[in-house]
Coordinates of all heavy atoms in Angstrom, one line a residue:
S1 N 31.1 17.6 8.2 CA 31.5 18.9 8.5 C 32.9 18.9 9.0 O 33.5 17.9 9.3 CB 30.6 19.6 9.5 OG 30.8 19.2 10.8
F2 N 33.5 20.1 9.1 CA 34.9 20.2 9.5 C 35.0 19.7 11.0 O 36.0 19.0 11.3 CB 35.2 21.7 9.4 CG 36.6 22.0 9.9 CD1 37.7 21.6 9.2 CD2 36.9 22.8 11.1 CE1 39.0 21.8 9.6 CE2 38.1 23.0 11.5 CZ 39.2 22.6 10.8
L3 N 34.1 20.1 11.9 CA 34.3 19.6 13.3 C 34.1 18.1 13.4 O 34.8 17.5 14.2 CB 33.2 20.3 14.1 CG 33.5 21.7 14.6 CD1 32.4 22.3 15.4 CD2 34.8 21.8 15.4
K4 N 33.3 17.5 12.6 CA 33.2 16.0 12.6 C 34.5 15.4 12.1 O 34.9 14.4 12.7 CB 32.0 15.6 11.7 CG 30.6 15.8 12.3 CD 29.6 15.3 11.3 CE 28.2 15.6 11.9 NZ 27.2 15.2 10.9
A5 N 35.1 16.0 11.1 CA 36.3 15.4 10.6 C 37.4 15.6 11.7 O 38.2 14.7 11.9 CB 36.7 16.1 9.3
C6 N 37.4 16.7 12.4 CA 38.4 16.9 13.4 C 38.2 15.9 14.6 O 39.1 15.3 15.1 CB 38.3 18.4 14.0 SG 38.9 19.6 12.9
R7 N 36.9 15.7 14.9 CA 36.6 14.8 16.0 C 37.0 13.4 15.6 O 37.7 12.7 16.4 CB 35.1 14.8 16.3 CG 34.7 13.8 17.4 CD 33.2 13.5 17.4 NE 32.8 13.0 16.1 CZ 31.6 12.9 15.6 NH1 30.6 13.4 16.3 NH2 31.3 12.4 14.4
D8 N 36.7 13.0 14.4 CA 37.0 11.6 13.9 C 38.5 11.4 13.8 O 39.0 10.3 14.0 CB 36.4 11.4 12.6 CG 34.9 11.3 12.7 OD1 34.3 11.2 13.8 OD2 34.2 11.4 11.6
A9 N 39.3 12.5 13.5 CA 40.8 12.4 13.4 C 41.5 12.7 14.7 O 42.7 12.8 14.8 CB 41.3 13.3 12.3
S10 N 40.7 12.9 15.8 CA 41.2 13.3 17.1 C 42.1 14.6 17.0 O 43.2 14.7 17.6 CB 42.0 12.2 17.7 OG 41.2 11.1 17.9
L11 N 41.6 15.5 16.2 CA 42.3 16.8 16.1 C 41.5 17.9 16.8 O 40.3 17.8 16.9 CB 42.5 17.2 14.6 CG 43.4 16.2 13.9 CD1 43.5 16.6 12.4 CD2 44.9 16.2 14.4
T12 N 42.1 19.0 17.2 CA 41.4 20.1 17.8 C 41.6 21.3 16.9 O 42.7 21.7 16.6 CB 41.9 20.4 19.2 OG1 41.8 19.2 20.0 CG2 41.1 21.5 19.8
P13 N 40.5 22.0 16.4 CA 40.6 23.2 15.6 C 41.4 24.2 16.4 O 41.3 24.3 17.7 CB 39.2 23.6 15.4 CG 38.4 22.4 15.6 CD 39.1 21.6 16.6
K14 N 42.0 25.1 15.7 CA 42.9 26.1 16.4 C 42.1 27.0 17.4 O 42.6 27.3 18.4 CB 43.5 27.0 15.3 CG 44.5 28.0 15.8 CD 45.2 28.7 14.6 CE 46.3 29.6 15.1 NZ 46.9 30.3 14.0
G15 N 40.9 27.3 17.1 CA 40.1 28.1 18.0 C 39.6 27.5 19.3 O 39.2 28.1 20.2
L16 N 39.8 26.1 19.3 CA 39.4 25.4 20.6 C 40.6 24.8 21.3 O 40.4 24.1 22.3 CB 38.4 24.2 20.2 CG 37.1 24.7 19.5 CD1 36.3 23.4 19.2 CD2 36.3 25.6 20.5
V17 N 41.8 25.2 20.9 CA 43.0 24.7 21.6 C 43.1 25.5 22.9 O 43.0 26.7 22.9 CB 44.2 24.9 20.7 CG1 45.5 24.6 21.5 CG2 44.1 24.0 19.5
L18 N 43.3 24.8 24.0 CA 43.5 25.4 25.3 C 45.0 25.5 25.6 O 45.8 24.6 25.3 CB 42.8 24.6 26.4 CG 41.3 24.4 26.2 CD1 40.7 23.4 27.2 CD2 40.6 25.7 26.3
K19 N 45.4 26.5 26.3 CA 46.8 26.7 26.6 C 47.1 26.0 28.0 O 46.3 26.1 28.9 CB 47.0 28.2 26.8 CG 48.5 28.6 26.8 CD 48.6 30.1 26.7 CE 50.1 30.5 26.4 NZ 50.3 31.9 26.2
N20 N 48.2 25.4 28.0 CA 48.6 24.6 29.2 C 49.6 25.5 30.1 O 50.7 25.7 29.7 CB 49.4 23.3 28.7 CG 49.5 22.3 29.9 OD1 49.2 22.6 31.0 ND2 50.0 21.2 29.5
P21 N 49.0 25.9 31.2 CA 49.9 26.8 32.1 C 50.9 26.0 32.9 O 51.9 26.5 33.3 CB 48.9 27.4 33.0 CG 47.7 26.4 33.1 CD 47.7 25.8 31.8
I22 N 50.7 24.7 33.0 CA 51.6 23.8 33.8 C 52.1 22.7 32.8 O 51.2 22.0 32.2 CB 50.9 23.2 35.0 CG1 50.3 24.3 35.9 CG2 51.9 22.3 35.8 CD1 49.4 23.7 36.9
S23 N 53.3 22.5 32.7 CA 53.8 21.4 31.8 C 54.0 20.1 32.5 O 55.1 19.8 33.0 CB 55.1 21.9 31.1 OG 56.1 22.2 32.0
S24 N 52.9 19.4 32.7 CA 53.0 18.1 33.3 C 52.1 17.1 32.5 O 51.3 17.5 31.8 CB 52.5 18.1 34.8 OG 51.1 18.3 34.8
T25 N 52.4 15.9 32.7 CA 51.7 14.8 31.9 C 50.2 14.9 32.3 O 49.3 14.8 31.4 CB 52.2 13.4 32.2 OG1 53.6 13.5 31.9 CG2 51.6 12.4 31.3
R26 N 49.9 15.0 33.6 CA 48.5 15.0 34.0 C 47.7 16.2 33.5 O 46.6 16.1 33.0 CB 48.5 15.1 35.6 CG 47.1 15.1 36.2 CD 46.5 13.8 36.2 NE 45.2 13.9 36.9 CZ 44.1 13.4 36.4 NH1 44.0 12.8 35.3 NH2 43.0 13.6 37.1
S27 N 48.3 17.4 33.5 CA 47.7 18.6 33.0 C 47.4 18.5 31.5 O 46.4 18.9 30.9 CB 48.4 19.9 33.3 OG 49.6 19.9 32.7
K28 N 48.4 17.9 30.8 CA 48.3 17.7 29.3 C 47.1 16.8 29.0 O 46.3 17.0 28.1 CB 49.6 17.1 28.7 CG 49.6 17.1 27.2 CD 51.0 16.6 26.7 CE 51.0 16.6 25.2 NZ 52.3 16.2 24.7
T29 N 47.0 15.7 29.8 CA 45.9 14.7 29.6 C 44.5 15.4 29.8 O 43.6 15.2 29.1 CB 46.1 13.5 30.6 OG1 47.3 13.0 30.3 CG2 45.0 12.5 30.4
I30 N 44.5 16.2 30.9 CA 43.2 16.9 31.2 C 42.9 17.9 30.1 O 41.7 18.0 29.7 CB 43.4 17.7 32.6 CG1 43.4 16.6 33.7 CG2 42.2 18.6 32.8 CD1 43.8 17.2 35.1
L31 N 43.8 18.6 29.6 CA 43.6 19.6 28.5 C 43.1 18.9 27.2 O 42.2 19.4 26.6 CB 44.8 20.5 28.3 CG 45.1 21.6 29.3 CD1 46.4 22.3 28.9 CD2 43.9 22.6 29.3
L32 N 43.7 17.8 26.9 CA 43.3 17.1 25.7 C 41.9 16.6 25.8 O 41.1 16.7 24.9 CB 44.3 15.9 25.4 CG 45.7 16.3 25.0 CD1 46.5 15.0 24.9 CD2 45.6 17.0 23.6
K33 N 41.5 16.1 27.0 CA 40.1 15.6 27.2 C 39.2 16.8 27.1 O 38.1 16.7 26.5 CB 40.0 14.9 28.6 CG 38.6 14.4 28.8 CD 38.6 13.3 29.9 CE 37.2 12.9 30.2 NZ 36.8 11.7 29.5
A34 N 39.6 18.0 27.7 CA 38.7 19.2 27.7 C 38.5 19.7 26.3 O 37.4 20.1 25.9 CB 39.3 20.2 28.6
Q35 N 39.6 19.6 25.5 CA 39.5 20.1 24.1 C 38.6 19.2 23.3 O 37.8 19.6 22.5 CB 40.9 20.1 23.5 CG 41.8 21.2 24.0 CD 43.2 21.2 23.5 OE1 43.9 22.2 23.7 NE2 43.7 20.1 22.9
S36 N 38.7 17.9 23.6 CA 37.8 16.9 22.9 C 36.3 17.2 23.3 O 35.4 17.1 22.4 CB 38.2 15.5 23.3 OG 37.3 14.6 22.8
L37 N 36.1 17.5 24.6 CA 34.7 17.8 25.0 C 34.2 19.1 24.4 O 33.0 19.2 24.1 CB 34.7 17.9 26.5 CG 34.8 16.5 27.3 CD1 35.0 16.7 28.8 CD2 33.7 15.6 26.9
L38 N 35.1 20.0 24.2 CA 34.7 21.3 23.5 C 34.3 21.0 22.1 O 33.3 21.6 21.6 CB 35.9 22.3 23.5 CG 36.1 23.1 24.8 CD1 37.4 23.9 24.7 CD2 35.0 24.0 25.1
V39 N 35.0 20.2 21.4 CA 34.6 19.8 20.0 C 33.2 19.2 20.0 O 32.3 19.6 19.2 CB 35.7 18.9 19.3 CG1 35.2 18.4 18.0 CG2 37.0 19.7 19.1
T40 N 33.0 18.2 20.9 CA 31.7 17.6 21.0 C 30.6 18.5 21.4 O 29.5 18.5 20.8 CB 31.8 16.4 22.1 OG1 32.9 15.5 21.7 CG2 30.5 15.7 22.2
S41 N 30.9 19.4 22.3 CA 29.9 20.4 22.7 C 29.6 21.4 21.5 O 28.4 21.7 21.3 CB 30.5 21.3 23.8 OG 29.6 22.3 24.1
Q42 N 30.5 21.8 20.7 CA 30.3 22.6 19.6 C 29.4 21.9 18.5 O 28.5 22.4 18.0 CB 31.6 23.1 18.9 CG 32.3 24.2 19.6 CD 31.4 25.4 19.7 OE1 30.9 25.8 20.7 NE2 31.4 26.1 18.6
L43 N 29.7 20.6 18.3 CA 28.9 19.8 17.4 C 27.5 19.7 17.9 O 26.5 19.9 17.1 CB 29.5 18.4 17.2 CG 30.7 18.3 16.3 CD1 31.3 16.9 16.5 CD2 30.3 18.5 14.9
S44 N 27.3 19.5 19.2 CA 25.9 19.4 19.7 C 25.2 20.8 19.6 O 24.0 20.8 19.2 CB 26.0 19.0 21.2 OG 24.8 19.0 21.8
S45 N 25.9 21.8 19.8 CA 25.3 23.2 19.7 C 24.9 23.5 18.3 O 23.8 24.0 18.0 CB 26.3 24.2 20.2 OG 25.9 25.5 20.0
Y46 N 25.8 23.1 17.3 CA 25.5 23.3 15.9 C 24.3 22.5 15.5 O 23.5 22.9 14.7 CB 26.7 23.0 15.0 CG 27.8 24.0 15.1 CD1 29.1 23.6 14.8 CD2 27.6 25.3 15.5 CE1 30.2 24.5 14.9 CE2 28.6 26.2 15.6 CZ 29.9 25.8 15.3 OH 30.9 26.7 15.4
K47 N 24.2 21.3 16.0 CA 23.1 20.4 15.7 C 21.7 21.0 16.1 O 20.8 21.0 15.3 CB 23.3 19.0 16.3 CG 22.3 18.0 15.9 CD 22.6 16.6 16.4 CE 21.6 15.6 16.0 NZ 21.9 14.3 16.6
S48 N 21.7 21.5 17.3 CA 20.4 22.1 17.8 C 20.1 23.4 17.1 O 19.0 23.7 16.7 CB 20.5 22.3 19.3 OG 21.4 23.3 19.7
S49 N 21.1 24.2 16.7 CA 20.9 25.4 16.0 C 20.4 25.1 14.6 O 19.5 25.7 14.1 CB 22.2 26.2 15.8 OG 22.6 26.7 17.0
F50 N 21.0 24.0 14.0 CA 20.5 23.6 12.6 C 19.1 23.2 12.7 O 18.3 23.5 11.7 CB 21.4 22.5 12.1 CG 21.0 22.0 10.8 CD1 21.4 22.7 9.6 CD2 20.2 20.8 10.6 CE1 21.0 22.3 8.4 CE2 19.9 20.4 9.4 CZ 20.3 21.1 8.2
A51 N 18.7 22.4 13.7 CA 17.3 22.0 13.8 C 16.3 23.2 13.9 O 15.3 23.2 13.2 CB 17.1 21.0 14.9
S52 N 16.7 24.1 14.7 CA 15.9 25.3 14.9 C 15.8 26.1 13.6 O 14.7 26.6 13.2 CB 16.5 26.2 16.0 OG 15.8 27.4 16.1
L53 N 16.9 26.3 12.9 CA 16.9 27.1 11.7 C 16.2 26.4 10.6 O 15.5 27.0 9.7 CB 18.4 27.4 11.2 CG 19.1 28.4 12.1 CD1 20.6 28.4 11.7 CD2 18.5 29.8 12.0
S54 N 16.3 25.1 10.6 CA 15.6 24.3 9.6 C 14.1 24.4 9.7 O 13.3 24.6 8.7 CB 15.9 22.8 9.7 OG 15.3 22.0 8.7
N55 N 13.6 24.4 10.9 CA 12.1 24.6 11.2 C 11.7 26.0 10.7 O 10.7 26.2 10.1 CB 11.8 24.4 12.7 CG 11.8 23.0 13.1 OD1 11.7 22.1 12.3 ND2 12.0 22.7 14.4
A56 N 12.5 27.0 11.1 CA 12.2 28.4 10.6 C 12.2 28.5 9.1 O 11.4 29.2 8.5 CB 13.2 29.4 11.3
Y57 N 13.2 27.9 8.5 CA 13.3 27.9 7.0 C 12.0 27.3 6.4 O 11.5 27.9 5.4 CB 14.5 27.1 6.6 CG 14.7 26.9 5.1 CD1 15.1 27.9 4.3 CD2 14.4 25.6 4.5 CE1 15.2 27.7 2.9 CE2 14.5 25.4 3.2 CZ 14.9 26.5 2.4 OH 15.1 26.3 1.0
H58 N 11.6 26.2 6.9 CA 10.4 25.5 6.3 C 9.1 26.4 6.5 O 8.2 26.4 5.7 CB 10.3 24.1 6.8 CG 11.3 23.2 6.2 ND1 11.4 22.9 4.9 CD2 12.3 22.6 6.8 CE1 12.4 22.1 4.7 NE2 13.0 21.9 5.8
T59 N 9.1 27.0 7.7 CA 7.9 27.9 7.9 C 7.9 29.1 6.9 O 6.9 29.4 6.4 CB 8.0 28.4 9.4 OG1 8.0 27.3 10.3 CG2 6.9 29.4 9.7
L60 N 9.1 29.7 6.7 CA 9.2 30.8 5.8 C 8.9 30.3 4.3 O 8.3 31.1 3.6 CB 10.6 31.4 5.8 CG 10.9 32.2 7.1 CD1 12.3 32.7 7.1 CD2 9.9 33.5 7.2
L61 N 9.3 29.1 4.0 CA 9.0 28.6 2.7 C 7.5 28.5 2.5 O 7.0 28.9 1.4 CB 9.6 27.3 2.4 CG 11.1 27.2 2.0 CD1 11.5 25.8 1.7 CD2 11.2 28.0 0.7
G62 N 6.8 28.0 3.5 CA 5.3 27.9 3.4 C 4.7 29.3 3.2 O 3.8 29.5 2.4
Q63 N 5.2 30.3 4.0 CA 4.6 31.6 3.9 C 4.9 32.2 2.5 O 4.1 32.9 1.9 CB 5.2 32.5 4.9 CG 4.8 32.2 6.3 CD 5.5 33.0 7.4 OE1 6.4 33.7 7.1 NE2 5.0 32.9 8.6
L64 N 6.1 32.0 2.0 CA 6.5 32.5 0.7 C 5.6 31.9 -0.4 O 5.2 32.6 -1.3 CB 8.0 32.2 0.4 CG 8.7 33.0 -0.6 CD1 8.7 34.4 -0.3 CD2 10.2 32.5 -0.7
K65 N 5.4 30.6 -0.3 CA 4.6 29.9 -1.3 C 3.2 30.4 -1.3 O 2.6 30.5 -2.4 CB 4.6 28.4 -1.0 CG 4.0 27.5 -2.1 CD 4.3 26.1 -1.9 CE 4.0 25.3 -3.1 NZ 4.5 23.9 -3.0
S66 N 2.6 30.8 -0.2 CA 1.3 31.3 -0.1 C 1.2 32.8 -0.7 O 0.1 33.2 -1.1 CB 0.7 31.3 1.3 OG 1.4 32.2 2.1
L67 N 2.3 33.5 -0.6 CA 2.3 34.9 -1.1 C 2.6 35.1 -2.5 O 2.1 36.0 -3.2 CB 3.3 35.7 -0.2 CG 3.0 35.9 1.2 CD1 4.2 36.6 1.9 CD2 1.7 36.7 1.4
L68 N 3.4 34.2 -3.1 CA 3.9 34.4 -4.5 C 3.2 33.5 -5.5 O 2.6 32.4 -5.1 CB 5.4 34.1 -4.6 CG 6.4 34.9 -3.8 CD1 7.8 34.4 -3.9 CD2 6.3 36.4 -4.2
S69 N 3.2 33.9 -6.7 CA 2.6 33.1 -7.8 C 3.6 31.9 -7.9 O 4.7 32.0 -7.6 CB 2.5 33.8 -9.1 OG 3.8 34.1 -9.6
P70 N 3.1 30.8 -8.5 CA 4.0 29.6 -8.7 C 5.2 29.9 -9.5 O 6.3 29.4 -9.1 CB 3.0 28.6 -9.4 CG 1.7 29.0 -9.0 CD 1.7 30.5 -8.8
D71 N 5.1 30.7 -10.5 CA 6.3 31.0 -11.3 C 7.3 31.8 -10.5 O 8.5 31.5 -10.6 CB 5.9 31.8 -12.6 CG 5.2 31.0 -13.6 OD1 5.3 29.7 -13.5 OD2 4.5 31.6 -14.4
H72 N 6.9 32.8 -9.8 CA 7.8 33.6 -9.0 C 8.4 32.8 -7.9 O 9.6 32.9 -7.5 CB 7.1 34.8 -8.4 CG 6.8 35.9 -9.4 ND1 5.6 36.3 -9.8 CD2 7.7 36.6 -10.2 CE1 5.6 37.2 -10.7 NE2 6.9 37.4 -11.0
Y73 N 7.6 31.9 -7.3 CA 8.1 31.0 -6.2 C 9.2 30.1 -6.7 O 10.2 30.0 -6.1 CB 6.9 30.2 -5.6 CG 7.3 29.2 -4.6 CD1 7.6 29.6 -3.3 CD2 7.5 27.9 -4.8 CE1 8.0 28.8 -2.3 CE2 7.9 27.0 -3.9 CZ 8.2 27.4 -2.6 OH 8.6 26.5 -1.6
D74 N 8.9 29.5 -7.9 CA 10.0 28.6 -8.5 C 11.3 29.4 -8.8 O 12.3 28.8 -8.6 CB 9.4 27.9 -9.7 CG 8.3 26.9 -9.5 OD1 8.2 26.5 -8.3 OD2 7.5 26.6 -10.4
T75 N 11.1 30.6 -9.3 CA 12.3 31.4 -9.6 C 13.1 31.7 -8.3 O 14.3 31.6 -8.3 CB 11.9 32.7 -10.2 OG1 11.2 32.4 -11.4 CG2 13.1 33.6 -10.6
V76 N 12.4 32.1 -7.2 CA 13.0 32.4 -6.0 C 13.7 31.2 -5.4 O 14.9 31.2 -5.0 CB 12.0 33.0 -4.9 CG1 12.6 33.0 -3.5 CG2 11.6 34.4 -5.4
I77 N 13.1 30.0 -5.5 CA 13.7 28.8 -4.9 C 14.9 28.4 -5.8 O 15.9 28.0 -5.2 CB 12.6 27.6 -5.0 CG1 11.5 27.9 -4.0 CG2 13.2 26.3 -4.6 CD1 12.0 28.1 -2.5
H78 N 14.8 28.5 -7.1 CA 16.0 28.2 -7.9 C 17.2 29.1 -7.6 O 18.3 28.6 -7.5 CB 15.6 28.4 -9.4 CG 16.7 28.2 -10.3 ND1 17.3 27.0 -10.6 CD2 17.5 29.1 -11.1 CE1 18.4 27.1 -11.4 NE2 18.4 28.4 -11.7
L79 N 16.9 30.4 -7.5 CA 18.0 31.3 -7.1 C 18.6 31.0 -5.8 O 19.8 31.1 -5.6 CB 17.5 32.8 -7.2 CG 17.1 33.3 -8.5 CD1 16.5 34.7 -8.4 CD2 18.4 33.4 -9.4
H80 N 17.7 30.7 -4.8 CA 18.2 30.4 -3.5 C 19.1 29.1 -3.5 O 20.1 29.1 -2.9 CB 17.0 30.2 -2.5 CG 17.3 29.6 -1.2 ND1 18.0 30.3 -0.3 CD2 17.1 28.3 -0.7 CE1 18.2 29.5 0.8 NE2 17.7 28.3 0.5
K81 N 18.6 28.1 -4.2 CA 19.4 26.8 -4.3 C 20.7 27.1 -4.9 O 21.8 26.5 -4.5 CB 18.6 25.7 -5.0 CG 17.5 25.2 -4.1 CD 16.8 24.0 -4.8 CE 15.7 23.4 -3.9 NZ 15.0 22.3 -4.6
T82 N 20.8 27.9 -6.0 CA 22.0 28.1 -6.7 C 23.0 28.8 -5.8 O 24.2 28.4 -5.7 CB 21.7 29.0 -7.9 OG1 20.8 28.4 -8.8 CG2 23.0 29.3 -8.7
K83 N 22.5 29.9 -5.1 CA 23.4 30.6 -4.1 C 23.8 29.7 -3.0 O 25.0 29.7 -2.5 CB 22.7 31.8 -3.6 CG 23.5 32.7 -2.7 CD 24.6 33.4 -3.5 CE 25.3 34.4 -2.6 NZ 26.3 35.2 -3.2
S84 N 22.9 28.9 -2.5 CA 23.2 28.0 -1.4 C 24.3 27.0 -1.7 O 25.2 26.7 -1.0 CB 21.9 27.3 -1.0 OG 22.1 26.2 -0.2
H85 N 24.2 26.4 -2.9 CA 25.2 25.4 -3.4 C 26.6 26.1 -3.6 O 27.6 25.5 -3.2 CB 24.8 24.8 -4.7 CG 23.7 23.8 -4.5 ND1 23.8 22.7 -3.7 CD2 22.5 23.7 -5.1 CE1 22.7 22.0 -3.7 NE2 21.8 22.6 -4.5
Y86 N 26.6 27.3 -4.1 CA 27.8 28.1 -4.2 C 28.5 28.3 -2.9 O 29.7 28.0 -2.7 CB 27.6 29.4 -4.9 CG 28.7 30.3 -4.9 CD1 29.8 30.1 -5.8 CD2 28.8 31.4 -4.0 CE1 30.9 31.0 -5.7 CE2 29.9 32.2 -4.0 CZ 30.9 32.0 -4.8 OH 32.0 32.8 -4.8
I87 N 27.7 28.8 -1.9 CA 28.3 29.0 -0.6 C 28.8 27.7 0.1 O 29.8 27.7 0.7 CB 27.2 29.8 0.3 CG1 27.0 31.2 -0.2 CG2 27.7 29.8 1.8 CD1 25.9 31.9 0.4
M88 N 28.0 26.7 -0.1 CA 28.4 25.4 0.5 C 29.7 24.9 -0.1 O 30.6 24.4 0.6 CB 27.2 24.4 0.3 CG 27.6 23.0 1.0 SD 26.3 21.8 0.7 CE 26.5 21.4 -1.0
N89 N 29.8 24.9 -1.4 CA 31.0 24.5 -2.1 C 32.2 25.3 -1.6 O 33.3 24.8 -1.5 CB 30.8 24.5 -3.6 CG 29.9 23.4 -4.1 OD1 29.7 22.4 -3.4 ND2 29.3 23.6 -5.2
K90 N 32.0 26.6 -1.5 CA 33.1 27.5 -1.0 C 33.5 27.1 0.4 O 34.7 27.0 0.7 CB 32.6 28.9 -1.1 CG 33.7 29.9 -0.9 CD 33.1 31.3 -1.1 CE 34.2 32.4 -0.7 NZ 33.6 33.7 -0.8
A91 N 32.6 26.8 1.3 CA 32.9 26.4 2.6 C 33.6 25.1 2.7 O 34.6 24.9 3.4 CB 31.6 26.4 3.5
I92 N 33.2 24.1 1.9 CA 33.8 22.8 1.8 C 35.2 23.0 1.3 O 36.1 22.3 1.9 CB 33.0 21.9 0.9 CG1 31.7 21.5 1.6 CG2 33.8 20.6 0.5 CD1 30.7 20.7 0.7
H93 N 35.4 23.8 0.3 CA 36.8 24.0 -0.2 C 37.7 24.6 0.9 O 38.8 24.2 1.1 CB 36.8 24.9 -1.4 CG 38.1 25.2 -2.0 ND1 38.9 24.2 -2.6 CD2 38.8 26.3 -2.0 CE1 40.0 24.8 -3.0 NE2 40.0 26.0 -2.6
T94 N 37.2 25.6 1.6 CA 38.0 26.3 2.7 C 38.3 25.3 3.8 O 39.4 25.2 4.3 CB 37.2 27.5 3.3 OG1 36.9 28.4 2.2 CG2 37.9 28.2 4.4
H95 N 37.3 24.5 4.2 CA 37.5 23.5 5.3 C 38.5 22.4 4.9 O 39.3 22.0 5.7 CB 36.2 23.0 5.8 CG 35.4 23.9 6.5 ND1 34.0 23.8 6.7 CD2 35.7 25.1 7.2 CE1 33.6 24.8 7.4 NE2 34.6 25.6 7.7
S96 N 38.4 22.0 3.6 CA 39.3 20.9 3.2 C 40.7 21.5 3.2 O 41.7 20.7 3.5 CB 38.9 20.4 1.9 OG 39.1 21.3 0.8
K97 N 40.9 22.7 2.8 CA 42.3 23.3 2.9 C 42.8 23.4 4.3 O 43.9 23.2 4.6 CB 42.3 24.7 2.2 CG 42.3 24.7 0.7 CD 42.2 26.0 0.0 CE 42.8 27.2 0.8 NZ 42.6 28.5 0.0
K98 N 41.9 23.8 5.2 CA 42.3 23.9 6.7 C 42.6 22.5 7.2 O 43.5 22.4 8.1 CB 41.1 24.5 7.5 CG 41.0 25.9 7.3 CD 39.9 26.4 8.3 CE 39.6 27.9 8.2 NZ 38.5 28.3 9.1
F99 N 41.9 21.5 6.8 CA 42.1 20.1 7.3 C 43.4 19.5 6.8 O 43.8 18.5 7.4 CB 40.9 19.3 7.1 CG 40.8 18.1 7.9 CD1 40.6 18.2 9.3 CD2 40.9 16.8 7.4 CE1 40.5 17.1 10.1 CE2 40.8 15.7 8.2 CZ 40.6 15.8 9.5
Q100 N 43.9 19.9 5.7 CA 45.1 19.3 5.2 C 46.4 19.6 5.9 O 46.7 20.4 6.7 CB 45.3 19.7 3.7 CG 44.3 19.1 2.8 CD 44.4 19.6 1.4 OE1 45.2 20.5 1.1 NE2 43.7 19.1 0.5

């Protein structure tokens, strides 16, 4: 993901950059560490959100499977995967442009 790439390259996304009110070496060091911790915190938050959403997704899939005929279920899953791949590819393209 974009945040992982930022973390690995020791970069801070624009939205997580902190402003330095004092221009000293010590304050700059503190801000860089705080920004790094913000990136790590966001990654952790996204990871827990993803786990929660994944569980909800699988629960809904089970309910959908029990409500629909196999043909309709397969059609819905196919449409969902197609749209999902399109959105994912669009996000990857946007993030790669931001990271350059």
Side-chain angles (χ1 to χ4, degrees):
S1 79
F2 178 68
L3 280 177
K4 285 182 185 177
C6 287
R7 179 198 60 198
D8 295 344
S10 298
L11 298 174
T12 304
K14 189 174 183 179
L16 297 178
V17 173
L18 301 173
K19 197 169 188 176
N20 192 354
I22 304 167
S23 58
S24 71
T25 306
R26 178 81 174 127
S27 67
K28 187 175 182 178
T29 304
I30 291 170
L31 283 177
L32 288 175
K33 183 162 175 96
Q35 290 173 168
S36 173
L37 290 172
L38 281 173
V39 171
T40 304
S41 173
Q42 282 297 104
L43 281 169
S44 176
S45 175
Y46 289 154
K47 187 176 179 181
S48 65
S49 293
F50 179 79
S52 174
L53 290 173
S54 180
N55 288 337
Y57 172 76
H58 289 294
T59 301
L60 287 173
L61 275 182
Q63 291 174 352
L64 199 60
K65 193 170 192 168
S66 68
L67 292 173
L68 298 176
S69 69
D71 289 339
H72 287 116
Y73 177 77
D74 290 340
T75 302
V76 168
I77 294 302
H78 174 71
L79 291 172
H80 170 70
K81 284 184 179 181
T82 302
K83 183 68 173 185
S84 163
H85 286 302
Y86 169 76
I87 291 171
M88 182 182 72
N89 288 336
K90 189 175 174 184
I92 288 171
H93 178 70
T94 301
H95 288 159
S96 68
K97 281 177 30 182
K98 284 183 179 181
F99 198 65
Q100 289 177 353

